Amino acid sequence: MMKNICLFIFLLCTFAISATAQLYELSSPGGNLRFSLQVGDSMTYTVYAGTKRLIKPSSIGLELYSGYRTADHAEIKNTSRSEVHGIIPVLNGKNTEIREDYKELVLEMDSFSLIVRAYDEGIAYRFKTRFSGEITVKSETAEFNFEGDPDIWFGEAEPEMIQWERSYYPYASIG
């Protein structure tokens, strides 16, 4: 009987903790990439390609010099979704235009928003604040907990280089 009561209390606590966290998902226009965001005491995201997990739960957030931390104010007040399919004209370069295709999720909190875009080629996010006056970011949490042990391709350059295109060299994962 005592084991059943302990199990019930454990399950109740687990449900109460998970009930406070909210889950938001966004897929790329082609549907292959999926971004999953869990918002609770912190913000953690996961990225999938099809059914394969590419990035394990990883934290994101900001801390300002004023002491404000996005993790402390991550209660979602409003959400909106949109989808963009268009063409961007290019002034210079070998292409005259670039396709612009993405789905967007905007999560609004008290003093900031998290904007996430899912493209067929990748995922992007940014924070947008609504504070009056200037703010200074003290630190940003941007974890990338990759699944497995992927190789790394890194564009090396000397500090004095000013060219935009660099050679990329493969490295074994540091994980």
Side-chain angles (χ1 to χ4, degrees):
M1 180 68 172
M2 187 62 166
K3 284 184 182 181
N4 289 341
I5 292 173
C6 290
L7 178 63
F8 175 74
I9 291 172
F10 172 76
L11 291 174
L12 185 62
C13 290
T14 303
F15 176 74
I17 290 169
S18 65
T20 61
Q22 297 169 299
L23 185 65
Y24 299 90
E25 292 193 345
L26 181 67
S27 294
S28 63
N32 187 48
L33 286 181
R34 184 168 46 95
F35 177 89
S36 177
L37 180 73
Q38 188 166 1
V39 179
D41 292 338
S42 65
M43 287 186 268
T44 58
Y45 73 96
T46 307
V47 176
Y48 299 88
T51 58
K52 182 180 179 183
R53 184 170 69 175
L54 300 177
I55 299 179
K56 298 184 281 189
S58 302
S59 295
I60 57 174
L62 289 178
E63 181 179 1
L64 307 181
Y65 272 103
S66 66
Y68 184 93
R69 293 172 1 116
T70 54
D72 297 337
H73 303 276
E75 183 180 335
I76 307 297
K77 302 292 184 186
N78 192 29
T79 63
S80 62
R81 293 177 182 270
S82 61
E83 194 166 339
V84 171
H85 301 285
I87 302 283
I88 300 173
V90 177
L91 299 177
N92 296 314
K94 62 182 179 181
N95 298 318
T96 58
E97 60 186 30
I98 298 172
R99 288 236 19 103
E100 181 178 40
D101 293 310
Y102 63 86
K103 290 183 179 180
E104 182 176 84
L105 170 65
V106 179
L107 302 171
E108 294 181 18
M109 286 134 254
D110 280 333
S111 300
F112 72 98
S113 297
L114 176 65
I115 302 163
V116 181
R117 288 185 179 176
Y119 301 84
D120 286 332
E121 299 81 14
I123 306 290
Y125 74 87
R126 70 182 173 111
F127 290 98
K128 181 179 178 182
T129 64
R130 292 185 293 282
F131 296 105
S132 60
E134 288 187 12
I135 63 165
T136 304
V137 175
K138 181 178 180 181
S139 65
E140 178 180 1
T141 302
E143 292 180 353
F144 302 92
N145 296 317
F146 292 100
E147 189 72 46
D149 196 20
D151 289 338
I152 298 167
W153 286 79
F154 179 71
E156 289 187 22
E158 298 297 322
E160 61 274 358
M161 290 182 75
I162 57 172
Q163 65 194 40
W164 291 100
E165 294 187 22
R166 300 184 173 115
S167 297
Y168 285 79
Y169 302 97
Y171 291 87
S173 176
I174 58 175

